[in-house]
Amino acid sequence: AHVIAVLNQKGGSGKTTIATNLAHALKLADAKVLLVDSDPQGSARDWNEANGGQLLPVVGLDRETLATDLKAIMGGYDFVVIDGAPQVARLAAAAVKSADVVLIPVQPSPYDIWAAADLVEVIKARQEITNGKPAAAFLISRAIKNTKLSGEVAEALEGYGFPILAHGTTQRVIYPTSAASGQTVFSEPGNTAIEEIEAIAKDVLELLP
Ligand code: ADP
Ligand code: MG
């Protein structure tokens, strides 16, 4: 299975939103997808309960043994999507170890970008001992529609040396409202947020080794 980890120690950066929607997009493209909740707060598990466990298999792995635990259960899946915990130490390091691709959702604000520094270091340290695995990219989350990423924000991100995914999410009510009933943007056919998520999924597949 390809392992995609959505990580950022900053709470509210959009990890659970991206993880659930991306996992669902991959499933709708006929892949077998496992969603791993590595956040002790259990947001993805709450989301799964809200839909009665109907949408995706969701498993909670919020221990440091995540990497080994995951190996034992990921057979038979095409993709594993890890919803990250709001911390860098241990849990995120374990997720980085398991991942083929790390997506780092950041809101287009300097505070969010600065807060990613520790995670970037963890990923780079891992890449050094593994010949570049995992691949990593920033994903701009909750951007204001029709607003270009400011030069300052882009520059701050580029300073980390990871690419910025060509597509991200914009601020849309459908993200929280669909999540409230344990759904994703795909529950409302024709919604333009679907296009955002599908474009993100396509970008992510291109990052896979
Ligand atoms: P994290 O998992 O990183 O803490 P969440 O995915 O839970 O972040 O997002 C934080 C809050 O922002 C949630 O209430 C979520 O519904 C909302 N949110 C996330 N992405 C968007 C978006 N693109 N548009 C509107 N609200 C969003
Ligand atoms: Mg979350």
Side-chain angles (χ1 to χ4, degrees), residues 130-153:
T130 58
N131 265 321
K133 186 182 156 255
F138 288 104
L139 185 162
I140 306 296
S141 170
R142 312 183 65 174
I144 307 297
K145 251 165 280 181
N146 302 320
T147 310
K148 208 174 147 273
L149 195 62
S150 83
E152 288 82 357
V153 166

Side-chain angles (χ1 to χ4, degrees), residues 43-158:
S43 305
R45 280 166 276 184
D46 292 341
W47 171 86
N48 187 46
E49 246 175 59
N51 69 43
Q54 294 301 299
L55 226 52
L56 289 162
V58 178
V59 56
L61 291 181
D62 52 14
R63 301 176 294 259
E64 287 169 53
T65 50
L66 185 150
T68 3
D69 294 349
L70 186 55
K71 265 191 199 142
I73 58 168
M74 66 192 242
Y77 291 103
D78 301 310
F79 295 97
V80 174
V81 178
I82 302 177
D83 181 19
Q87 51 149 287
V88 190
R90 295 196 277 269
L91 276 178
V96 167
K97 210 169 159 187
S98 305
D100 297 300
V101 172
V102 177
L103 292 181
I104 311 168
V106 283
Q107 290 184 247
S109 120
Y111 305 116
D112 286 56
I113 292 163
W114 293 330
D118 295 343
L119 174 62
V120 168
E121 263 179 45
V122 169
I123 296 169
K124 284 185 173 163
R126 181 72 192 167
Q127 287 176 333
E128 260 175 42
I129 58 169
T130 58
N131 265 321
K133 186 182 156 255
F138 288 104
L139 185 162
I140 306 296
S141 170
R142 312 183 65 174
I144 307 297
K145 251 165 280 181
N146 302 320
T147 310
K148 208 174 147 273
L149 195 62
S150 83
E152 288 82 357
V153 166
E155 221 170 87
L157 279 176
E158 278 156 17

Side-chain angles (χ1 to χ4, degrees), residues 2 10 14 17 26 30 53 59 62 64 80 87 93 102 144 146 152 158-159 165 175 178 188 190 197-199 207-208:
H2 298 292
K10 182 118 181 161
T17 301
L26 294 168
D30 275 338
V59 56
D62 52 14
E64 287 169 53
V80 174
Q87 51 149 287
V102 177
I144 307 297
N146 302 320
E152 288 82 357
E158 278 156 17
L165 223 59
Y175 287 104
S178 62
E188 216 175 274
I197 296 299
E198 284 180 337
L207 281 175
L208 286 172

